[in-house]
Amino acid sequence: MAKFVYRMQNILDIKYKLETQAKTVYAAASEELRREELKLKLLFDDINTYEDRIRELSSSVLDVQELKWCNEAIEIKKLQIEKQKNEVKKAQRNLELARIKLNEVMVDRKTHEKLKEKAFEEFKKELEDTEKKEVDELVSFKFNKSD
């Protein structure tokens, strides 16, 4: 029996590898975004801690120096938050680019899979036609032999 050999199998294999790589890049970009968002959350948590400390200091004996220090720390954290927001946006852009690339690679791979399926269907049809021809020849040979 004939064996189906897809002549562009090596290209399809490369498409699979490219898709795997794109998935890895996407996962890394997603993880990077998660880390950047966590850093941003921690900065907001730090501001809340300093604000709580200011409230605590305001309700007890006033320590002007520590109040000043807390306010300065809050201002510094706000600057860090602005920088971190930019890092989060950058990570979001990288994630979106990785998603687009992954989508393109997946579409390309699916296209090649469809081509392979089509080639396999053509192969099966040719095989079926060949078998019909052989059966017809065999029947014809037997019919002619019986004359």
Side-chain angles (χ1 to χ4, degrees):
M1 175 153 183
K3 181 179 175 187
F4 174 68
V5 178
Y6 182 54
R7 61 187 177 92
M8 295 194 319
Q9 183 63 43
N10 56 348
I11 294 173
L12 184 59
D13 292 340
I14 290 170
K15 298 299 179 187
Y16 282 123
K17 288 177 185 176
L18 288 173
E19 182 177 359
T20 302
Q21 289 173 348
K23 285 179 180 177
T24 303
V25 169
Y26 180 80
S30 179
E31 180 61 24
E32 180 65 21
L33 176 60
R34 190 195 63 75
R35 279 195 306 269
E36 296 299 334
E37 288 174 337
L38 180 61
K39 287 178 188 177
L40 183 61
K41 181 190 176 303
L42 291 175
L43 288 171
F44 278 114
D45 290 347
D46 287 348
I47 284 182
N48 289 335
T49 302
Y50 286 123
E51 288 173 344
D52 290 344
R53 180 70 180 138
I54 287 174
R55 278 190 285 282
E56 184 182 303
L57 288 170
S58 298
S59 64
S60 64
V61 177
L62 285 179
D63 184 354
V64 177
Q65 186 62 30
E66 192 164 349
L67 279 173
K68 184 178 176 184
W69 181 82
C70 285
N71 282 324
E72 288 174 358
I74 288 173
E75 292 304 314
I76 290 170
K77 291 295 178 181
K78 285 180 179 178
L79 291 173
Q80 290 174 340
I81 284 173
E82 290 306 311
K83 289 180 182 177
Q84 192 58 36
K85 283 181 179 179
N86 290 334
E87 292 299 316
V88 168
K89 286 179 185 175
K90 180 179 167 186
Q92 286 172 335
R93 283 191 304 270
N94 288 340
L95 181 64
E96 182 63 17
L97 291 173
R99 186 195 63 76
I100 290 168
K101 179 67 176 169
L102 176 59
N103 192 41
E104 289 172 356
V105 170
M106 288 176 72
V107 167
D108 200 25
R109 185 232 345 131
K110 287 179 182 179
T111 301
H112 279 275
E113 283 181 343
K114 292 286 185 191
L115 290 172
K116 181 178 179 178
E117 288 174 18
K118 188 175 180 181
F120 183 65
E121 292 301 319
E122 288 176 11
F123 170 77
K124 288 194 316 188
K125 184 168 180 3
E126 288 174 8
L127 192 60
E128 186 179 305
D129 290 345
T130 304
E131 288 175 359
K132 283 182 183 178
K133 185 177 178 183
E134 288 174 0
V135 167
D136 287 346
E137 287 176 358
L138 187 61
V139 168
S140 175
F141 179 73
K142 285 185 178 182
F143 181 74
N144 288 336
K145 204 172 187 185
S146 63
D147 283 348

